[in-house]
Amino acid sequence: MTNMPPVTHPSTTPPSALTDDRDHNNSASVPAERVIIELARNLHASGSPAYELDQRMEDVAAYLGCPATFFSTPTSLFITFAHEEGRTRLLRVYPCDTNLGRYAGFYATQRAIEHEGLSVPQAWERIQTLESTANTYSQPLQVLACGIAAACFGLLVGGNATVVAAAGATGLLTGGLLIGLSQRNCPAHLINIIAAIGAYIVASLVQTRFTSSSVELTSLAALIVLVPGLQLTISINELATQNLASGSARFAGAMMSLLTLVFGVYMGHALIHSLMPIPPSSAARAPEIATSMISILPLGLSLAVLFQARYRDIAWVLTSAFVGYGSLRLAGWWLQPFAAVWAAAVIAGVCSHLISHWRHIPPAITLMPALILLVPGSLGFFGLSAIILNNDVPGGLRIVSTMMLTTISIVAGLLTTDVIAPMLSGHRNRSIPPLI
């Protein structure tokens, strides 16, 4: 159960900055190719994976009368229009933080083109409006959401009251560092290292004062917004759907992010242990199901803020979080761990498809919060930490292998959903796995 979107990284030049002002003022003169390119760029920037983006944009291009093929990776987008034989356009794109609010807007634009006959000028005006829209939630609220999310995850991973309180306070520090360093254009991997050093030092200081605390659980919960479990799951799903270039690149990026976090923890560990001894951590304990289900409410609200969900979608974010965690706990009573994760992914995926079909909203809104509670990023964090900090290679490799099997269980559940959901919703055509 890990991984949430980091608060704004200094990631990209906004697509709107690349737009010619003359085109904005005279949308009637904008060619269909420009609309297709900007829509693809923005869907990519909002977090759309390769298996979703490529097929969706091919459908949009066909509806606008400019058939095209697409090939995307986390850092590039190739577009070949049928009428431009022998010419392929290459766009350098940059990984961005997931923004469900913006993604929902571009999803609605794409759907309006396909189902409502939205014209090229109208589509261009919508794209321009969405590109200029500010984030829904303020930076102080994002920092607060980091703290609340860290406290909730401290409870879900088995921490006691001391761990929960320490994780919440350290999560606020992590959120503040993310915002402050991002505004100074600090590289994302350096932010990971600095945040991990700070989180481990604070967790260790709390451990020296309150022996009932746990350095490992506190630092993990405080860094949960940076653990790339969701990106790892997306990369395996891309590989499973034969998007090998994108999947390989995304997997390498996720592992690099994980390694930078563990390196930061190692640096904090080395610094604090050179100054003072740290008492042993208290053991983790499984939370009561009633207590953990109650914690899903503030956690879901925090996810809505961190994912920049629209106000009207907050209820669906909460529903997704409850469905994901509740189905995992219930399935765990009857099934083995990996089978329980698979069953929870199937339930969450089917519910996401049905709600999306009913309400005409992006499947990501009703699926991503559920996946956050299933993805095994924390296992990778613990496994690499065991290898680097404790020199426990066999134990660390065992935990990392568990992480990979859990990820594959989620992907298998999503692929199963891809078969079941169209039959339940009355669609005969193959759908795309609803994962971002």
Side-chain angles (χ1 to χ4, degrees), residues 10-369:
S11 47
T12 74
T13 301
S16 57
L18 305 174
T19 301
D20 194 321
D21 290 338
R22 293 172 299 175
D23 290 338
H24 179 67
N25 296 329
N26 187 15
S27 59
S29 65
V30 176
E33 293 89 340
R34 184 67 179 277
V35 171
I36 293 169
I37 291 172
E38 288 302 312
L39 184 57
R41 189 204 305 274
N42 279 286
L43 285 171
H44 183 285
S46 300
S48 182
Y51 52 78
E52 251 187 13
L53 176 64
D54 296 351
Q55 182 165 332
R56 280 184 177 174
M57 287 310 305
E58 287 179 6
D59 294 340
V60 169
Y63 273 98
L64 291 179
C66 292
T69 55
F70 295 79
F71 179 83
S72 62
T73 74
T75 58
S76 62
L77 183 61
F78 297 84
I79 306 174
T80 302
F81 291 100
H83 64 276
E84 297 178 345
E85 186 176 355
R87 178 186 178 189
T88 297
R89 306 191 187 203
L90 169 61
L91 282 71
R92 181 69 167 92
V93 290
Y94 301 86
C96 289
D97 302 331
T98 300
N99 188 317
L100 288 182
R102 180 168 293 183
Y103 178 76
F106 290 112
Y107 177 91
T109 301
Q110 170 246 331
R111 194 174 187 281
I113 292 173
E114 295 183 13
H115 300 283
E116 301 173 14
L118 192 70
S119 66
V120 170
Q122 291 171 328
W124 181 252
E125 289 178 0
R126 283 199 186 188
I127 292 172
Q128 293 291 294
T129 300
L130 289 169
E131 287 180 345
S132 61
T133 302
N135 286 338
T136 305
Y137 305 98
S138 65
Q139 291 180 345
L141 190 57
Q142 293 181 56
V143 173
L144 179 61
C146 284
I148 295 174
C152 293
F153 268 98
L155 173 66
L156 294 178
V157 297
N160 53 30
T162 304
V163 170
V164 171
T170 313
L172 291 174
L173 172 64
T174 301
L177 284 173
L178 285 171
I179 292 292
L181 295 176
S182 295
Q183 291 179 335
R184 288 164 177 77
N185 294 324
C186 186
H189 290 315
L190 183 57
I191 293 177
N192 288 354
I193 294 174
I194 295 174
I197 293 174
Y200 193 89
I201 290 176
V202 172
S204 298
L205 293 176
V206 172
Q207 180 74 13
T208 60
R209 181 67 178 84
F210 303 97
T211 56
S212 60
S213 184
S214 169
V215 175
E216 294 80 7
L217 295 181
T218 301
S219 56
L220 169 64
L223 295 172
I224 202 65
V225 298
L226 295 172
V227 176
L230 184 60
Q231 294 303 311
L232 178 65
T233 303
I234 294 174
S235 69
I236 299 299
N237 204 357
E238 288 180 330
L239 292 172
T241 54
Q242 297 301 303
N243 292 278
L244 303 181
S246 182
S248 300
R250 199 180 300 272
F251 180 84
M255 294 306 297
M256 181 57 65
S257 295
L258 194 58
L259 286 171
T260 56
L261 287 174
V262 175
F263 177 75
V265 167
Y266 172 79
M267 294 297 293
H269 175 272
L271 177 61
I272 200 72
H273 279 263
S274 67
L275 299 177
M276 64 183 72
I278 304 299
S281 299
S282 62
R285 57 179 183 179
E288 296 291 336
I289 188 168
T291 304
S292 57
M293 290 300 290
I294 291 174
S295 71
I296 296 299
L297 179 60
L299 176 58
L301 293 173
S302 300
L303 289 176
V305 173
L306 294 172
F307 280 132
Q308 295 291 328
R310 299 174 300 183
Y311 294 128
R312 61 178 177 272
D313 293 330
I314 291 178
W316 297 120
V317 172
L318 291 173
T319 300
S320 175
F322 277 109
V323 168
Y325 187 74
S327 59
L328 178 64
R329 292 297 297 264
L330 290 175
W333 289 349
W334 293 286
L335 302 174
Q336 294 297 314
F338 297 130
V341 172
W342 171 85
V346 171
I347 293 172
V350 170
C351 291
S352 173
H353 267 297
L354 294 178
I355 294 173
S356 175
H357 177 67
W358 172 44
R359 301 296 299 175
H360 303 302
I361 59 176
I365 291 177
T366 51
L367 180 65
M368 190 177 296

Side-chain angles (χ1 to χ4, degrees), residues 382-419:
F382 279 135
L384 293 177
S385 296
I387 294 173
I388 295 176
L389 298 183
N390 303 326
N391 201 27
D392 182 10
V393 176
L397 291 178
R398 186 166 54 252
I399 297 174
V400 171
S401 65
T402 301
M403 174 194 73
M404 295 304 301
L405 288 173
T406 304
T407 302
I408 293 172
S409 299
I410 297 172
V411 172
L414 295 175
L415 295 177
T416 304
T417 299
D418 194 34
V419 176

